[in-house]
Amino acid sequence: MGHPILNLVAQRIALGLLLLFLASGLIFIGTQILPGDVAQSILGQSATPEAVANLRKELGLNDPAYVRYFKWLAGLLQGDLGTALSNGKPIGEAVSYRFSNTIFLASWAALFSVPLAVILGLFAVQYKNRWPDKLISGVTLASISLPEFFIGYLLMFYVAVILGWFPSVSIPNESMSLLEKLDTIALPVTVLVLVVLAHMMRMTRAAILNVMQSAYIETAELKGLSPFTVIRKHAFPNAIAPIVNVIMINLAYLVVGVIIVESIFVYPGLGQYLVDHVSKRDVPVVQACALIFASVYITLNIIADLVSIIANPRLRHPK
Amino acid sequence: MNLRRIPLSAIVGMLVSFGFLFVAIFAPLLAPYELGQSIGDVWEGASDKLPLGTDNLGRDLVSRMIYATRTTIFIAGAATFISFSLGSILGFTAAVKGGWLDMILSRAVDLLMSIPTLIFALVVLAVLPANIITLILVMGILDSTRVYRLSRAVAVDINVMDYVEAARLRGEGTSWIVFREILPNALSPLVAELGLRFIFAILFLSSLSFLGLGVQLPDIDLGGMVKENKEGIIFHIPAALIPAFVISILTISVNLVADWILNRTSDLKGGRG
Amino acid sequence: MSDNLLEIKNLKIGATVYPPGEKPHDITIVHDVSLILKKGQVMGLIGESGAGKSTIGLSSMSYGRGGVEITGGEVFVNGRDILKIQAHGLRELRGREVTYVSQSAAASFNPAMRLMDQVIETTLLHGLSSKAQAEERAVELFRSLGLPDPENIGNRYPHQVSGGQLQRVMTAMALCPKPDLIVFDEPTTALDVTTQIDVLAAIKKAIKDTGVAALYITHDLAVVAQVSDEILVLRHGNMVEHGTVQQIIEAPKEEYTQELVKAHSITHEEKKPTDNPILRVENITASYEGTIKVLKDVSVDIHAGQTLAVVGESGSGKSTLARVITGLLPPSEGRIVFDGKELTPALVDRSLDDLRELQMIYQMADVAMNPRQTVGQIIGRPLELYFGMKGAEKRKRVVELLDEIEMGEMFIDRYPAELSGGQKQRVCIARSLAAKPKLVICDEVTSALDPLVADGILKLLLDLQKIENVAYLFITHDLATVKSISDSIAVMYLGELVRYGTKSEVLSPPFDDYTDLLLSSVPEMKLGWLEEVLAHRKMESAGN
């Protein structure tokens, strides 16, 4: 038995792995829930019986479902994502290129949105119930209600097409310099930032307010500490965990938001790849992409939990 | 209820929401042209006859949008109805019964929520037949996990109140406890949640249709209209922005009402609501 | 310069309230209060909730809590008007000249910082001494306040220390920068009764040793009488009476002060136990999911029309006993015999008539009533459920019950939120009596109420017992209440019954150690009580 917090961390990571395993099972089941025949449904009603039988064989549909699941899982664990139905190529190659593109886009969005959200959240707390706070919460309410593609096309129409500041489609390639790449992805990054900013800011505001209303903040004020010291020594150490938590949850949200934004700007990322293959009913590709998205999402959520555990003084210094 | 106490924003939200409902119900009477009727050139500009111009196949944008609004509201409403009845009934049952039932349901919901809704919907839509029934069921069932969590949390909070314990000690049955003690006190947050789920359903459906995986032709919804007309953007034709704008107006107005109801929740202690 | 340390002149304090569904409006919390505190003096500020006593205390640091604003008057500390100085000057005042000890030390310490760093923070901030000197002084204070392991306790985090100890550490934190004035805001209210007395003694000693002046805020006149030189009685933000402790306790002038002094003086003649108890609790052992027993082999009897008081501190198992009797927590061993027949252990198996005859009243009347039901519906439901009453017949009975609890018909359509704390508890009493029960379990029914309101409830319960011949199982931590209303007493400690018998038996010597500790811990309204008790104690309290 080590320090109790290590046990908790180990427990949480184990739980995350279990969740990941179950999620892979759920994704697999999700592609099996069709009452009829998958092969028939993929090829459509007009397909010849021979074609259907071939596809059944190719998909391994003649094995029972659990055998197919464990085969798939075993492949995944060895880094083999399987073969795409639509073009017969290994999925792994296409995915790694597109996944790195998606990460590139999402990282830049995170880089701008996180500091902006925290600063604006602090600002809203500072001017609580006065007009800057009300303005911020009004904008938040509106932006939560807007579909991503409205913001996306609005920017594309006015900023790219009419003003011509940035390209309207974002297709970076290897020969571009970093600056050129950034110019290419400027609009999708802006849309992603706008989409997550509102949530992140609102939750940051709530997290900070919660700490600022604690009795120990009053104690600090009654000690004659300056407002800056109160925040630095008494508010910040207690607010850091909830804020990191908020950030992680919103980054997880960003991972999903990326799918729509990639489609708007024809960005060659994993999201667009997934969407294309859903229309093509290419089940192996859909399973592989969904599992990657789910893994990132689950991992970010686990990190959020771990931060709360580690930052909690009650757990760090047990009785 | 005192009408003057309702803030202006909520009144505007309600009026606009009812306007949309009216349009959805009476779509065939209001639309000047048929859904698929081609009446002019591709992406014709606005004129006296056609206030918003035509779309990518020369159909009247106004007529098409009226029908699309109807589809969007119908599907989102049906999905919300399913997610809400399923989620709240299971959530309440889990909270009041507790024990293994609560345990199993809650863990299952945790698992389902560990995968982002959009991702899981895409997985399922990759194999299911593309039709409106499938869409409604997939959206409704996936979103019921959120309703389940909220209604269970609200019911658990109320369930440990002394007045519910007092009712148990008095010998009241489960139905009295659920419908007379818990439900009246859970109503406000649940109604606000209903609004939020409806907004989410509209946005979710629009996103799916925008990706080409939602409502299939010849039916059309607002998200699908954005998809149809998106190519026009680079040719300086903002036709795709109009349905997207309409979605925003619809969701914002519902949100204004939901926000007001949510704020009223804190008035619970104020007695006569 | 005069030796007036604190001088408050015609202080007015207001606040803006935001009642739901109404326009925000301003209210006055404190009207025209003046007081003078000399160096080294202790003044008690006493009053019920809403008297404005904490607000006045904080005004001596020019601090308004949560939207509270000082709207008029002057506050002088060491000769200068602190309401006129700017933020920077206030920081010199707060934590250096005036310090503060709050009711809930557990919430008032930063959970992420070691205690020592928080205790010496002010001293270092104001550059009063070096870090080593400050730490040395803190350890000295820890020692003189009777904290265990004074050298090392400062290395702990707040959650690693008990509530009673934290309250003392907070006192040390207030004393560390050698202030001229300390504001004590109900420093012992949240503590168990046996812990309260130790903390009270520690505070009194610290005040005496350091010669610091203090404002001691509390709702308990007996407590404030032990530590103060003077007392200021407040009500609804107005001054009622000001005098020396002796004058206020022994010869109060104002009617309100006289009532406060007389609080807890309800008497009731003990009834003799009968041969046939209405409820027999036989050898009950119970635990919450698992192995730790919260009740160990407890047996008590309750007789028809009489009151058994179960008394003990938090963790004594007294509330668990109530849960076992009501069937909410089936016991692992033992049985309960009610009116001659054995009750099934679990609530769900009991008949409606058994449930009717055994009613319960809760500590927090606010949450014991459904906020969406009117008083009429709340009291009417048992009538409908148990007796099938409807319409006019039901209404007539509800009105009778409302008259019995001295409220009247005009309350029938009100919601709980529209009632005062005492009225809410009265409605709960009416609801339980509507069932015509043989036994009512009263779980700390007066502890959330102000003393005078609590006295009213106790009087009502005693009157109703005479009329309805109902038995009470009265659970409380407050021995004064026990003395007022019980016929027999059960003293519980850590799940065990340590003493049980008729009131006169239990309250007559010789005492066992715990009962002695408990009895001696109840503050008495006389001067020098604290010293007397400390000299005679046999046992340390569990909270230390």
Side-chain angles (χ1 to χ4, degrees):
Chain A
M1 292 285 279
H3 194 279
I5 205 162
L6 286 179
N7 291 332
L8 263 177
V9 167
Q11 258 178 36
R12 196 63 198 84
I13 291 175
L15 197 67
L17 290 175
L18 178 70
L19 201 57
L20 214 53
F21 171 70
L22 293 174
S24 74
L26 197 60
I27 288 172
F28 189 81
I29 295 170
T31 57
Q32 312 290 323
I33 53 174
L34 196 64
D37 189 288
V38 181
Q40 184 77 59
S41 131
I42 289 171
L43 294 173
Q45 291 303 324
S46 54
T48 62
E50 289 78 35
V52 173
N54 277 338
L55 187 64
R56 284 188 67 87
K57 207 176 151 212
E58 203 175 329
L59 289 173
L61 287 180
N62 297 325
D63 290 335
Y66 71 92
V67 174
R68 278 178 283 137
Y69 170 64
F70 283 107
K71 274 186 185 166
W72 178 62
L73 199 64
L76 286 177
L77 291 176
Q78 292 158 22
D80 173 17
L81 295 180
T83 317
L85 289 181
S86 42
N87 59 7
K89 285 186 185 162
I91 298 170
E93 286 169 27
V95 159
S96 67
Y97 160 69
R98 284 165 177 273
F99 187 54
S100 63
N101 278 347
T102 293
I103 293 293
F104 183 69
L105 185 65
S107 315
W108 281 100
L111 203 66
F112 283 102
S113 57
V114 170
L116 208 57
V118 173
I119 291 169
L120 285 174
L122 278 168
F123 194 70
V125 170
Q126 196 67 39
Y127 292 94
K128 182 169 139 333
N129 291 334
R130 280 183 276 166
W131 71 263
D133 183 35
K134 286 187 174 153
L135 180 75
I136 285 173
S137 63
V139 171
T140 308
L141 183 77
S143 76
I144 285 170
S145 318
L146 299 185
E148 287 95 341
F149 51 74
F150 183 51
I151 306 175
Y153 283 123
L154 208 59
L155 283 179
M156 189 193 278
F157 187 68
Y158 288 104
V159 181
V161 178
I162 297 198
L163 296 171
W165 288 355
F166 296 103
S168 60
V169 293
S170 307
I171 308 178
N173 59 53
E174 289 308 307
S175 62
M176 285 181 174
S177 71
L178 182 65
L179 215 60
E180 284 170 322
K181 275 190 185 169
L182 288 184
D183 181 61
T184 308
I185 64 165
L187 284 185
V189 166
T190 312
V191 176
L192 278 175
V193 168
L194 289 176
V195 167
V196 290
L197 192 63
H199 272 113
M200 216 189 291
M201 200 171 61
R202 190 143 118 160
M203 288 162 79
T204 308
R205 174 183 180 274
I208 299 173
L209 266 188
N210 191 22
V211 170
M212 291 305 285
Q213 283 162 354
S214 309
Y216 56 80
I217 297 296
E218 182 183 284
T219 307
E221 283 169 352
L222 288 176
K223 278 179 173 175
L225 304 182
S226 68
F228 179 72
T229 317
V230 171
I231 289 175
R232 183 177 58 85
K233 280 183 74 178
H234 294 276
F236 186 72
N238 292 295
I240 186 86
I243 291 176
V244 171
N245 214 317
V246 165
I247 289 172
M248 287 301 154
I249 289 166
N250 281 285
L251 290 185
Y253 183 76
L254 191 81
V255 170
V256 184
V258 98
I259 294 178
I260 313 272
V261 173
E262 284 179 0
S263 288
I264 299 171
F265 293 95
V266 208
Y267 182 83
L270 194 62
Q272 222 208 6
Y273 186 65
L274 169 61
V275 169
D276 284 350
H277 287 79
V278 172
S279 342
K280 289 180 192 161
R281 297 188 175 262
D282 191 337
V283 173
V285 176
V286 173
Q287 282 174 340
C289 293
L291 191 63
I292 293 171
F293 275 116
S295 311
V296 175
Y297 188 80
I298 291 173
T299 311
L300 286 169
N301 275 308
I302 292 170
I303 294 175
D305 280 3
L306 291 182
V307 170
S308 320
I309 292 173
I310 294 168
N312 186 340
R314 282 168 191 275
L315 297 174
R316 235 178 332 138
H317 310 283
K319 286 200 179 181
Chain B
M1 195 194 299
N2 188 343
L3 269 173
R4 271 174 302 175
R5 279 199 203 162
I6 303 175
L8 184 69
S9 61
I11 292 177
V12 172
M14 268 188 263
L15 288 179
V16 178
S17 303
F18 279 118
F20 271 103
L21 197 62
F22 181 81
V23 169
I25 292 171
F26 298 105
L29 302 177
L30 295 170
Y33 300 97
E34 294 290 307
L35 182 59
Q37 192 180 357
S38 189
I39 50 148
D41 268 348
V42 171
W43 285 323
E44 227 174 79
S47 62
D48 287 348
K49 205 175 88 179
L50 303 169
L52 292 174
T54 59
D55 74 350
N56 61 327
L57 294 177
R59 296 165 293 197
D60 175 32
L61 262 179
V62 172
S63 307
R64 210 157 161 76
M65 215 136 63
I66 288 173
Y67 282 106
T69 302
R70 182 185 217 192
T71 315
T72 297
I73 289 183
F74 168 69
I75 297 180
T80 310
F81 177 77
I82 289 177
S83 75
F84 217 77
S85 3
L86 197 66
S88 59
I89 289 172
L90 290 180
F92 268 61
T93 315
V96 176
K97 292 276 175 200
W100 59 267
L101 181 78
D102 181 23
M103 173 83 179
I104 290 174
L105 281 173
S106 297
R107 290 296 83 76
V109 165
D110 284 350
L111 176 60
L112 214 54
M113 286 180 79
S114 76
I115 302 173
T117 315
L118 180 62
I119 304 286
F120 199 71
L122 292 182
V123 168
V124 182
L125 291 175
V127 291
L128 288 180
N131 59 43
I132 287 178
I133 302 292
T134 312
L135 264 180
I136 292 175
L137 286 176
V138 168
M139 285 169 55
I141 291 170
L142 286 183
D143 208 36
S144 67
T145 53
R146 266 86 183 160
V147 184
Y148 171 87
R149 278 229 179 139
L150 178 92
S151 42
R152 181 181 172 279
V154 170
V156 163
D157 276 356
I158 298 175
N159 200 28
V160 297
M161 290 296 222
D162 284 346
Y163 62 82
V164 178
E165 190 181 294
R168 285 216 170 84
L169 288 182
R170 196 159 63 224
E172 304 285 6
T174 309
S175 67
W176 173 281
I177 288 176
V178 169
F179 290 105
R180 304 302 286 272
E181 306 285 349
I182 297 181
L183 198 61
N185 290 292
L187 220 51
S188 274
L190 285 184
V191 171
E193 181 68 8
L194 184 69
L196 294 180
R197 283 354 291 171
F198 183 57
I199 294 166
F200 182 80
I202 293 169
L203 292 174
F204 194 63
L205 173 70
S206 305
S207 296
L208 284 178
S209 294
F210 168 71
L211 295 174
L213 305 168
V215 177
Q216 302 295 325
L217 291 172
D219 289 321
I220 191 71
D221 71 334
L222 290 168
M225 284 189 68
V226 177
K227 181 186 163 68
E228 282 180 350
N229 294 293
K230 67 179 180 183
E231 311 300 337
I233 294 276
I234 42 177
F235 306 114
H236 289 243
I237 289 155
L241 290 180
I242 299 167
F245 179 72
V246 171
I247 296 171
S248 310
I249 296 299
L250 174 57
T251 50
I252 288 177
S253 55
V254 177
N255 212 337
L256 286 175
V257 181
D259 200 55
W260 165 63
I261 296 172
L262 200 64
N263 284 334
R264 255 173 47 95
T265 310
S266 48
D267 302 5
L268 260 185
K269 293 191 185 80
R272 333 175 177 214
Chain C
M1 202 170 119
S2 74
D3 58 353
N4 288 351
L5 171 63
L6 171 71
E7 190 172 357
I8 295 178
K9 281 187 190 165
N10 308 106
L11 185 68
K12 286 186 190 62
I13 300 176
T16 308
V17 289
Y18 300 87
E22 280 171 49
K23 284 223 153 64
H25 55 107
D26 292 339
I27 53 163
T28 308
I29 303 173
V30 174
H31 317 258
D32 196 23
V33 166
S34 304
L35 64 88
I36 291 176
L37 185 66
K38 292 189 167 43
K39 285 197 176 108
Q41 260 196 342
V42 180
M43 178 177 291
L45 296 184
I46 180 145
E48 298 178 298
S49 46
K53 49 196 192 301
S54 294
T55 316
I56 295 171
L58 285 169
S59 74
S60 68
M61 304 175 84
S62 188
Y63 189 86
R65 183 182 276 162
V68 166
E69 249 179 286
I70 298 171
T71 48
E74 294 159 306
V75 178
F76 293 94
V77 173
N78 284 326
R80 67 186 196 287
D81 187 348
I82 61 166
L83 301 185
K84 295 213 174 77
I85 55 184
Q86 297 304 308
H88 184 75
L90 278 180
R91 294 209 286 277
E92 288 296 309
L93 168 88
R94 293 176 186 164
R96 181 171 184 167
E97 288 167 62
V98 190
T99 57
Y100 180 73
V101 178
S102 77
Q103 172 173 356
S104 163
S108 299
F109 279 103
N110 182 342
M113 250 170 112
R114 290 181 196 278
L115 290 172
M116 178 58 89
D117 294 332
Q118 303 192 51
V119 169
I120 63 170
E121 189 176 14
T122 330
T123 313
L124 299 186
L125 172 84
H126 295 291
L128 299 174
S129 70
S130 72
K131 189 170 186 214
Q133 282 173 321
E135 285 184 359
E136 203 177 305
R137 173 166 167 80
V139 170
E140 232 169 78
L141 286 168
F142 292 156
R143 188 173 293 122
S144 77
L145 284 162
L147 282 162
D149 195 11
E151 277 79 21
N152 300 314
I153 197 167
N155 292 329
R156 295 174 168 232
Y157 283 85
H159 67 271
Q160 297 171 317
V161 175
S162 77
Q165 290 169 358
L166 269 186
Q167 210 69 47
R168 292 183 219 198
V169 176
M170 190 153 196
T171 307
M173 184 158 89
L175 285 163
C176 195
K178 301 185 181 163
D180 301 320
L181 170 66
I182 302 183
V183 179
F184 289 98
D185 194 350
E186 304 255 15
T188 63
T189 308
L191 303 174
D192 260 327
V193 57
T194 57
T195 316
Q196 154 169 311
I197 180 169
D198 293 323
V199 174
L200 197 60
I203 289 175
K204 183 169 185 178
K205 180 168 174 290
I207 292 174
K208 202 172 148 225
D209 291 353
T210 56
V212 67
L215 279 180
Y216 198 101
I217 298 160
T218 177
H219 67 281
D220 191 340
L221 195 53
V223 164
V224 82
Q226 307 310 317
V227 292
S228 311
D229 303 310
E230 287 178 26
I231 289 178
L232 177 62
V233 182
L234 296 157
R235 189 186 197 188
H236 306 319
N238 291 302
M239 295 198 289
V240 175
E241 188 169 358
H242 174 230
T244 63
V245 172
Q246 192 154 17
Q247 182 253 306
I248 296 282
I249 300 287
E250 290 168 5
K253 291 192 195 105
E254 299 296 322
E255 197 187 335
Y256 179 67
T257 317
Q258 288 164 2
E259 281 176 35
L260 280 183
V261 172
K262 271 194 307 202
H264 299 309
S265 58
I266 293 175
T267 49
H268 152 73
E269 202 170 313
E270 178 184 322
K271 294 190 255 322
K272 291 281 155 260
T274 58
D275 295 332
N276 235 337
I278 184 83
L279 183 90
R280 300 190 80 113
V281 172
E282 294 178 3
N283 309 95
I284 289 289
T285 297
S287 54
Y288 286 106
E289 345 181 332
T291 47
I292 303 161
K293 290 176 181 167
V294 266
L295 280 180
K296 295 165 204 158
D297 196 22
V298 173
S299 304
V300 289
D301 293 343
I302 302 172
H303 301 276
Q306 299 194 11
T307 303
L308 168 71
V310 178
V311 60
E313 295 177 276
S314 44
S316 64
K318 57 189 192 303
S319 291
T320 309
L321 183 61
R323 295 181 69 79
V324 169
I325 295 172
T326 54
L328 287 167
L329 180 74
S332 50
E333 284 164 50
R335 55 188 213 128
I336 294 159
V337 182
F338 185 52
D339 204 12
K341 57 185 190 292
E342 187 175 339
L343 282 180
T344 56
L347 174 68
V348 285
D349 306 323
R350 294 190 183 172
S351 73
L352 198 59
D353 221 38
D354 284 343
L355 296 175
R356 176 183 68 76
E357 291 183 337
L358 207 163
Q359 292 289 316
M360 177 140 172
I361 309 173
Y362 292 82
Q363 174 176 4
M364 307 298 287
D366 316 49
V367 288
M369 290 183 287
N370 190 333
R372 295 287 185 187
Q373 293 174 357
T374 62
V375 168
Q377 288 170 321
I378 289 167
I379 302 177
R381 179 59 192 167
L383 299 173
E384 202 176 277
L385 182 71
Y386 299 132
F387 307 113
M389 285 191 197
K390 282 195 179 68
E393 186 196 11
K394 183 171 92 177
R395 187 178 169 97
K396 186 169 156 271
R397 180 73 186 125
V398 170
V399 173
E400 276 172 27
L401 285 161
L402 277 172
D403 287 338
E404 273 187 47
I405 56 167
E406 297 152 15
M407 281 173 67
E409 189 171 358
M410 65 208 206
F411 286 95
I412 200 162
D413 289 321
R414 299 223 189 143
Y415 284 86
E418 297 168 287
L419 306 177
S420 72
Q423 289 169 339
K424 283 178 197 165
Q425 200 55 286
R426 281 167 192 261
V427 173
C428 289
I429 292 172
R431 174 173 65 183
S432 68
L433 291 180
K436 292 239 165 252
K438 291 187 172 145
L439 172 67
V440 176
I441 299 175
C442 305
D443 190 358
E444 301 268 14
V445 290
T446 56
S447 18
L449 301 171
D450 280 318
L452 295 179
V453 181
D455 273 4
I457 296 288
L458 291 181
K459 230 174 123 283
L460 177 69
L461 283 170
L462 283 175
D463 291 346
L464 292 171
Q465 185 168 53
K466 283 192 200 112
I467 303 168
E468 309 270 343
N469 196 37
V470 59
Y472 295 135
L473 173 69
F474 203 93
I475 294 166
T476 181
H477 67 278
D478 181 7
L479 267 163
T481 311
V482 172
K483 287 178 188 167
S484 305
I485 74 153
S486 65
D487 299 297
S488 45
I489 300 176
V491 180
M492 293 191 63
Y493 181 63
L494 300 177
E496 282 178 77
L497 196 62
V498 291
R499 195 175 171 91
Y500 170 58
T502 62
K503 176 162 72 173
S504 46
E505 283 163 14
V506 169
L507 299 182
S508 313
F511 297 117
D512 60 286
D513 288 357
Y514 182 69
T515 306
D516 179 59
L517 173 75
L518 203 57
L519 282 174
S520 66
S521 299
V522 181
E524 282 175 34
M525 199 94 54
K526 63 177 190 195
L527 300 178
W529 163 82
L530 185 61
E531 287 73 14
E532 245 172 69
V533 171
L534 290 173
H536 290 102
R537 288 177 86 176
K538 298 180 201 160
M539 177 178 165
E540 279 271 305
S541 84
N544 279 346

